[in-house]
């Protein structure tokens, strides 16, 4: 693989080469951050799933470790699918799905849950007790995967993704030793609406005194917009009432084109941190021409807004990436204002004064080519209360615009991270987040603020060049 490949990211988690999808086994273990991921080391397309592995002291600088899990045992013949990790009294324990294809032609397969342990955090041994959950509860369909395990009130709990009659659901299990699991029931299930046919990668945790249920539903309509991340929050969600677990309404977590299979974990500082796959199953992946595919998002700290909205904010350590800081002098924009971003590995942060801004539509084009043929547009529509990320001219392979709701108050805070082939937009402390892949030319480094009829007043604007973060 060519290390100068144009789309290779500078400060995001990627595999050394080959394919990656979901983040797996996020865990803070012996004072280090471990991230595993679905990985096909021998090809830039999906295949027999391994668990890739990287480690960090600060969530910013990463080091690759050897592949942690490879498929091929009797219980994970065709793949080590997604799962989670826990620190079990100093033993780093991975809990993952065994994927077993029985007959490719007839599409016969089964899935089960397994564990693997490590005392050094580098080499893992699959347990002799595998599979620790050999099959889904009697009568349920075969999709049974992505165990997320945590400790609560002295016992281990697990949520697993599942489906029933073509509609998604989440199952709950409990164990005292990570090997013997007891089925507790259906934690949440579809309510008949457009919520997907399979709920992948569930996560369930307490945040700011409320329950949060997070999942990646497969099969949301309309076609072409099928994979999302959904969440619901509430004080009773997941609690048993009259023999049924309570659920609420779902909201989308990230409104970009490329965000899926998010997982969270608690770190040593008590922060709940989320990392997602920065692609989706349907995404175009032009980097495959460079021999690799897939990356993970920047780590984001979660909190709940007073109204119960799940907010994602880039972790504060990401400031360590900044190598230069430039303050933009221009504070009133009418029409267009162009600067050279100098690279496509940068952070742009600005605050728009909405008490006096006159324009209804304004925003910024990033990764602009000098001939005007390339740009990625972030447009705010004040009267509609929306932000749109349009990648119709974002380079090769990608297209389409996504729109998300934003709060229109006295000001609007925008923080953008661009890393060659990715863009992550955080509005107002992470109340609205959009993550997308873009594939511009390396020379497309222009940044253009714009307004349509009227002015936009910037209270402040900063541009930071960001460094590579791989050790
Ligand atoms: C989600 C997913 C999981 C599965 C894994 C396989 O993207 O489909 O449900 O475990 O990817 O790679």
């Amino acid at each position: 693989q060519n290390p100068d490949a144009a789309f290779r990211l500078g400060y995001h988690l990627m595999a050394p080469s080959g394919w990656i999808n979901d983040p797996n086994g996020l865990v803070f273990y012996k004072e280090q951050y471990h991230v595993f991921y679905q990985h096909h080391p021998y090809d830039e397309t999906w295949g027999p799933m391994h668990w890739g592995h990287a480690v960090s002291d600060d969530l910013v600088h990463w080091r690759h470790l050897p592949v942690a899990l490879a498929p091929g045992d009797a219980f994970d013949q065709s793949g080590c699918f997604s799962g989670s990790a826990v620190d079990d009294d100093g033993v780093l324990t991975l809990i993952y799905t065994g994927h077993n294809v029985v007959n490719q032609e007839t599409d016969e397969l089964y899935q089960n849950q397994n564990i693997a342990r490590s005392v050094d955090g580098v080499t893992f041994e699959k347990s002799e007790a595998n599979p620790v959950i050999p099959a889904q509860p009697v009568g349920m369909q075969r999709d049974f995967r992505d165990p997320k395990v945590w400790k609560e009130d002295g016992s281990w709990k697990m949520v697993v993704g599942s489906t029933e009659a073509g509609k998604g659901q989440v199952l709950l299990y409990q164990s005292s030793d990570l090997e013997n699991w007891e089925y507790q029931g259906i934690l949440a299930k579809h309510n008949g609406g457009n919520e997907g046919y399979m709920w992948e990668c569930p996560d369930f945790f307490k945040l700011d005194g409320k329950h949060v249920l997070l999942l990646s539903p497969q099969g949301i309509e309309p076609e072409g917009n099928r994979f999302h991340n959904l969440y619901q929050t509430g004080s009773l969600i997941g609690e048993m009432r009259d023999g049924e677990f309570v659920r609420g309404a779902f909201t989308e977590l990230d409104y970009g084109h490329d965000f899926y299979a998010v997982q969270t974990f608690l770190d040593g500082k008590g922060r709940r941190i989320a990392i997602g796959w920065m692609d989706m199953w349907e995404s175009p992946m032009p980097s495959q021409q460079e021999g690799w595919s897939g990356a993970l998002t920047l780590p984001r700290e979660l909190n709940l807004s007073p109204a119960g909205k799940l907010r994602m904010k880039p972790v504060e350590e990401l400031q360590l990436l900044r190598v230069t800081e430039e303050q933009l002098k221009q504070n009133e924009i009418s029409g267009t204002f162009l600067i050279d971003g100098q690279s496509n590995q940068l952070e742009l942060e600005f605050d728009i004064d909405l008490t006096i801004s006159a324009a209804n539509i304004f925003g910024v084009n990033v990764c602009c080519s000098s001939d005007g043929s390339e740009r990625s547009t972030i447009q705010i529509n004040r009267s509609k209360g929306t932000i749109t990320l349009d990648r119709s001219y974002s380079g090769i392979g990608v297209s389409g615009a996504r729109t998300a709701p934003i709060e229109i108050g006295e000001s609007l805070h925008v923080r953008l991270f661009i890393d060659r082939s990715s863009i992550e937009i955080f509005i107002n402390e992470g109340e609205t987040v959009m993550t997308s892949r873009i594939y511009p030319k390396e020379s497309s480094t222009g940044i253009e603020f714009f307004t349509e009829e009227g002015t936009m007043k910037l209270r402040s604007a900063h541009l930071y060049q960001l460094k590579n973060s791989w050790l």
Side-chain angles (χ1 to χ4, degrees):
Q1 163 163 331
N2 175 5
D4 296 324
F7 300 135
R8 207 72 186 140
L9 301 160
Y11 56 88
H12 280 81
L13 263 162
M14 292 174 302
S17 69
W19 162 277
I20 93 174
N21 55 288
D22 310 356
N24 293 156
L26 308 181
V27 65
F28 188 68
Y29 171 71
K30 294 188 178 162
E31 302 303 311
Q32 285 193 309
Y33 295 94
H34 287 257
V35 168
F36 302 82
Y37 48 86
Q38 289 285 280
H39 183 31
H40 190 191
Y42 314 116
D43 202 273
E44 65 272 11
T45 59
W46 189 84
M49 281 293 102
H50 294 58
W51 276 38
H53 188 187
V55 71
S56 172
D57 291 329
D58 58 9
L59 286 169
V60 174
H61 300 92
W62 294 95
R63 196 156 49 83
H64 290 298
L65 289 178
V67 165
L69 292 177
D73 283 287
F75 42 86
D76 58 18
Q77 297 161 59
S78 323
C80 298
F81 272 17
S82 285
S84 48
V86 294
D87 180 347
D88 180 18
D89 261 335
V91 179
L92 180 53
T93 306
L94 312 182
I95 308 97
Y96 70 97
T97 296
H99 179 64
N100 301 273
V101 176
V102 180
N103 184 331
Q104 201 141 17
E105 261 146 48
T106 58
D107 194 30
E108 193 186 336
L109 60 84
Y110 64 93
Q111 299 184 326
N112 56 28
Q113 315 313 326
N114 301 290
I115 62 176
R117 299 190 178 93
S118 172
V119 284
D120 62 4
V122 180
T123 35
F124 291 83
E125 220 169 287
K126 295 177 186 172
S127 168
E128 307 231 312
N130 286 343
V132 293
I133 309 180
Q136 67 274 29
V138 177
M140 286 189 190
Q141 284 176 260
R142 66 184 194 183
D143 293 273
F144 177 54
R145 59 180 177 269
D146 312 336
K148 174 72 200 290
V149 175
W150 73 99
K151 198 165 218 176
E152 193 176 312
D153 301 332
S155 68
W156 297 107
K157 311 259 189 194
M158 175 198 286
V159 282
V160 192
S162 167
T163 181
E164 190 199 15
K167 305 237 165 162
Q169 59 184 13
V170 175
L171 311 181
L172 181 67
Y173 283 80
Q174 187 167 312
S175 171
S176 58
D177 59 5
L178 295 170
E179 288 192 351
N180 298 286
W181 291 92
E182 246 175 64
Y183 176 52
Q184 306 289 295
I186 300 171
L187 179 77
K189 63 177 179 182
H190 63 88
N191 64 5
N194 185 18
E195 296 181 337
Y197 60 77
M198 166 64 193
W199 286 359
E200 299 186 315
C201 305
D203 200 346
F204 186 62
F205 51 88
K206 269 207 173 139
L207 185 70
D208 301 340
K210 298 232 167 91
H211 288 118
V212 180
L213 174 66
L214 196 59
L215 49 93
S216 296
Q218 213 175 358
I220 296 260
E221 300 301 333
E223 200 69 22
N225 186 15
R226 287 170 56 219
F227 299 96
H228 292 251
N229 268 111
L230 297 180
Y231 74 89
Q232 47 187 278
T233 65
S235 27
L236 294 177
I237 285 172
E239 288 201 4
M240 217 25 139
R241 298 280 136 138
D242 305 325
E244 286 220 0
F245 286 102
V246 176
R247 62 155 283 180
F250 285 114
T251 307
E252 194 159 358
L253 181 58
D254 186 306
Y255 292 87
H257 301 78
D258 299 290
F259 186 80
Y260 194 66
V262 68
Q263 189 178 113
T264 76
F265 71 108
L266 269 184
D267 81 347
K269 298 177 185 160
R271 297 180 295 181
R272 173 69 57 179
I273 295 169
I275 295 179
W277 176 26
M278 199 160 61
D279 274 302
M280 288 209 281
W281 289 109
E282 296 182 314
S283 296
M285 297 175 184
S287 71
Q288 286 172 329
Q289 293 162 15
E290 299 176 353
W292 67 284
S293 184
L296 304 185
T297 66
L298 291 175
R300 300 151 180 203
E301 185 178 348
L302 297 180
N303 67 58
L304 286 188
S305 77
K309 202 168 186 328
L310 189 52
R311 298 190 285 208
M312 295 198 283
K313 233 178 115 166
V315 295
E316 62 184 4
E317 288 91 332
L318 290 167
Q319 292 180 23
L320 296 170
L321 289 169
R322 296 172 177 172
V323 283
T324 63
E325 171 176 353
E326 193 185 327
Q327 191 168 351
L328 308 189
K329 300 276 174 335
Q330 182 89 0
N331 61 8
E332 197 153 293
I333 288 142
S334 176
T336 58
F337 172 62
L338 181 72
I339 58 169
D340 182 5
Q342 297 148 54
S343 85
N344 277 332
Q345 199 170 307
L346 48 85
E347 179 187 342
L348 177 64
E349 185 173 24
F350 55 97
D351 213 53
I352 306 164
D353 188 336
L354 294 179
T355 59
I356 43 177
S357 290
N360 184 42
I361 292 176
F362 49 85
V364 63
N365 290 314
V366 295
C367 303
C368 304
S369 64
S370 47
D371 67 0
S373 63
E374 273 184 5
R375 64 187 172 277
S376 296
T377 300
I378 297 132
Q379 182 183 278
I380 288 135
N381 185 316
R382 194 177 165 141
S383 54
K384 285 194 184 151
T386 57
I387 178 168
T388 298
L389 172 60
D390 187 347
R391 52 176 197 176
S392 302
Y393 303 97
S394 293
I396 62 167
V398 292
S399 60
R402 290 276 165 99
T403 295
I406 49 171
E407 288 289 323
I408 301 291
E410 295 199 336
S411 68
L412 193 77
H413 185 256
V414 182
R415 201 167 162 206
L416 294 178
F417 288 85
I418 294 167
D419 192 4
R420 307 179 96 195
S421 62
S422 72
I423 178 162
E424 286 158 283
I425 308 170
F426 299 89
I427 303 290
N428 289 347
E429 305 297 309
E431 258 165 44
T432 301
V433 182
M434 301 183 94
T435 303
S436 292
R437 300 300 298 276
I438 52 175
Y439 297 93
K441 290 193 213 64
E442 269 187 285
S443 56
S444 298
T445 58
I447 298 176
E448 183 186 46
F449 291 91
F450 65 86
T451 65
E452 274 182 24
E453 293 174 17
T455 58
M456 154 166 81
K457 173 122 168 78
L458 296 179
R459 286 182 175 169
S460 65
H462 289 88
L463 174 67
Y464 305 92
Q465 299 297 323
L466 302 185
K467 65 177 182 179
N468 288 323
S469 67
W470 285 92
L471 298 176

